[in-house]
Amino acid sequence: MPCGWRAQVSRSRTATARPPAAYTASSVRRKARAHPRLLDAVLAAGVLLCMLASSLTDPHHPDGPTWQAAPPDATGFTLMALGAAALVLRRRAPRTVLAATSAASLAVLVSSDPRTPVVMSAAVALYTVAARTDRPTTWRIGLLTSAGLTAGAMLCGNLPWYAQENFGIFAWLGLAAAAGDAVRSRRAYITAIHERADRAERTREEEARRRVAEERLRIARDLHDVVAHHIALVNVQAGVAAHVMDRRPDQAKEALAHVREASRSALDELRATVGLLRQSGDPEAPTEPAPGLARLDDLAERFRNAGLPVEIACPDRGDPLPAAVDLAAYRVVQEALTNVHKHAGPGARAEVSIVPVDGQVEITVLDGGPAATPAPGAAPAEPPPGGGHGLLGMRERVTALGGTCTAGPRFGGGFRVHAILPAQGAAPANRPPAPVPSARTDAPKDGR
């Protein structure tokens, strides 16, 4: 079954399984965010309908809700229409809209009989101001608006000052201000959470790199403190032994005993320090010698037995390589052949070439696998997310010795790993590591 058809079926099933109510609510929220002015117009129309319904009905009639005996006059209807119309601009000028609706409400409370509920529009405007300003401003404006309208209704209205309608004005306006302040606080809280999450995502990699650098510095400092003192002591005692070996052999033996004790202490402390880096599930350190280029034939034989033809071209060297360079060269070849065996596919062949050139060792590993070839002039492909760290470890090992390492696809198919190591050990130059463009990592085969 084609993958595209599967994805289409999966999307259709997901859409079918989604509740209609949730789908409708989500679409309405998206449209409301895209057209805020239309939402404000709908809100203004709803507030106007509520004011008309409240002004034309009497919910406190003894026989139940009924029509008002004396409906509002033309002034009352006009003020309700103006108060509702002002809410369309509540996002653009919230304080101006609040002033306009408060003025219309005060005019109704002072002059209209029976009263029309224009204060509804003032409550919505006060909610908008509270949701868009800070808390001190909200409470100052809220108290001023609530107290002003309540005092106007008590002092200049047609109802007695102690009428419950007058206290209801203060309660409803205070509730609107509190609701707007709560909404603003929640929005600020959610925004802060998103900002912290984004900042944590951006700084996670930098924090990990900083911690790795600090840990490496700490380990280097510990190793220096452990080894430097004992090595200095061994050097001094060895010099003393060499100086008095012929004339005072007893003193020479004593100096050699100090050398043996200092070296034993250094090994014990070094083992303890390195042991801190080993996790609980790691195996014990091997006791056999570290591998080198002398064991390339055994390495190639193991890959041949696994089905990968390997050809090695390694001319004899007169001088042996330093132990660190010999081990790094062996590991480069081992990692490259492992990647060939894992990713090159059936029928692939590997060629290993190790050539000494001008005080350096040049290592080249080629294979003829069906790796993808980048277009001319295009940048090499980056490793897929979640891939292994084999090539990265290879680069770090080579760079630590002052060498260079590159890896990438070959023109016409296949893969090439090329490393240059100094034949005399780590180079003193302190240069930035060379990039490793890679189209193959330790990821699964389908991630090439």
Side-chain angles (χ1 to χ4, degrees):
M1 184 182 294
C3 296
W5 193 83
R6 286 183 180 178
Q8 185 176 2
V9 171
S10 177
R11 287 193 297 269
S12 63
R13 289 178 179 176
T14 304
T16 304
R18 182 181 299 172
Y23 180 80
T24 303
S26 177
S27 62
V28 168
R29 283 194 297 268
R30 288 196 300 269
K31 291 180 180 179
R33 295 191 187 99
H35 303 87
R37 186 65 59 81
L38 178 61
L39 178 63
D40 291 339
V42 173
L43 176 63
V47 172
L48 179 60
L49 290 178
C50 291
M51 289 190 294
L52 290 175
S54 178
S55 62
L56 296 176
T57 59
D58 183 11
H60 304 293
H61 194 272
D63 298 333
T66 183
W67 297 102
Q68 284 275 18
D73 54 8
T75 303
F77 284 112
T78 302
L79 291 175
M80 284 190 293
L82 292 177
L87 295 179
V88 179
L89 303 175
R90 68 187 186 96
R91 297 177 190 266
R92 177 177 296 183
R95 299 191 184 189
T96 304
V97 171
L98 177 60
T101 54
S102 299
S105 301
L106 185 60
V108 168
L109 294 174
V110 171
S111 62
S112 179
D113 188 23
R115 294 179 180 177
T116 52
V118 185
V119 73
M120 289 186 182
S121 59
V124 175
L126 182 58
Y127 165 84
T128 304
V129 172
R132 290 176 171 268
T133 57
D134 54 358
R135 179 163 295 174
T137 304
T138 296
W139 288 115
R140 284 197 300 268
I141 295 179
L143 287 176
L144 179 62
T145 304
S146 302
L149 293 181
T150 304
M154 288 181 175
L155 299 177
C156 304
N158 299 324
L159 297 177
W161 68 268
Y162 52 84
Q164 62 179 0
E165 287 84 355
N166 296 334
F167 294 99
I169 295 173
F170 187 88
W172 282 108
L173 291 176
L175 181 62
D181 181 72
V183 170
R184 180 198 55 77
S185 299
R186 178 170 176 79
R187 289 175 180 172
Y189 175 72
I190 294 177
T191 302
I193 290 178
H194 287 306
E195 289 179 354
R196 286 197 298 268
D198 294 339
R199 186 164 55 251
E201 187 69 22
R202 290 192 303 267
T203 59
R204 182 178 302 170
E205 184 176 356
E206 287 78 3
E207 180 69 16
R209 291 178 179 176
R210 184 186 64 81
R211 291 185 178 181
V212 169
E214 291 179 353
E215 186 66 15
R216 287 180 177 177
L217 181 60
R218 185 189 66 81
I219 294 172
R221 188 184 299 113
D222 291 344
L223 291 178
H224 176 270
D225 295 341
V226 168
V227 176
H229 169 71
H230 293 288
I231 293 300
L233 182 60
V234 168
N235 184 38
V236 172
Q237 295 295 338
V240 171
H243 182 67
V244 300
M245 179 67 70
D246 296 332
R247 293 177 297 174
R248 286 176 285 182
D250 294 337
Q251 188 175 355
K253 290 180 180 180
E254 183 179 356
L256 291 177
H258 288 301
V259 169
R260 183 173 62 252
E261 184 65 26
S263 61
R264 183 185 297 111
S265 299
L267 288 176
D268 292 340
E269 295 186 18
L270 184 61
R271 187 180 298 110
T273 302
V274 177
L276 295 176
L277 306 179
R278 186 180 297 117
Q279 298 180 359
S280 59
D282 292 345
E284 294 294 332
T287 56
E288 67 272 8
L293 295 180
R295 299 177 59 182
L296 276 184
D297 293 335
D298 297 336
L299 178 65
E301 189 62 27
R302 289 199 298 270
F303 280 102
R304 293 190 188 104
N305 295 334
L308 175 64
V310 179
E311 297 181 3
I312 296 180
C314 181
D316 295 334
R317 290 182 48 87
D319 300 330
L321 292 173
V325 177
D326 198 21
L327 176 60
Y330 179 87
R331 294 304 186 194
V332 168
V333 176
Q334 183 184 36
E335 179 63 31
L337 292 179
T338 301
N339 283 343
V340 173
H341 183 259
K342 290 171 61 177
H343 304 294
R349 301 177 60 87
E351 300 177 3
V352 180
S353 173
I354 302 176
V355 181
V357 179
D358 296 334
Q360 296 178 331
V361 179
E362 184 175 352
I363 304 169
T364 306
V365 181
L366 307 175
D367 73 81
T373 303
E382 293 294 332
H389 303 282
L391 292 177
L392 296 179
M394 182 193 306
R395 179 192 64 181
E396 291 184 357
R397 185 185 294 271
V398 173
T399 305
L401 296 174
T404 60
C405 180
T406 58
R410 300 170 56 195
F411 181 77
F415 204 76
R416 176 179 182 267
V417 175
H418 182 257
I420 299 178
L421 291 168
Q424 301 302 325
N430 194 6
R431 58 190 176 187
V436 184
S438 170
R440 179 188 302 157
T441 67
D442 295 333
K445 185 175 178 179
D446 56 356
R448 291 179 55 178

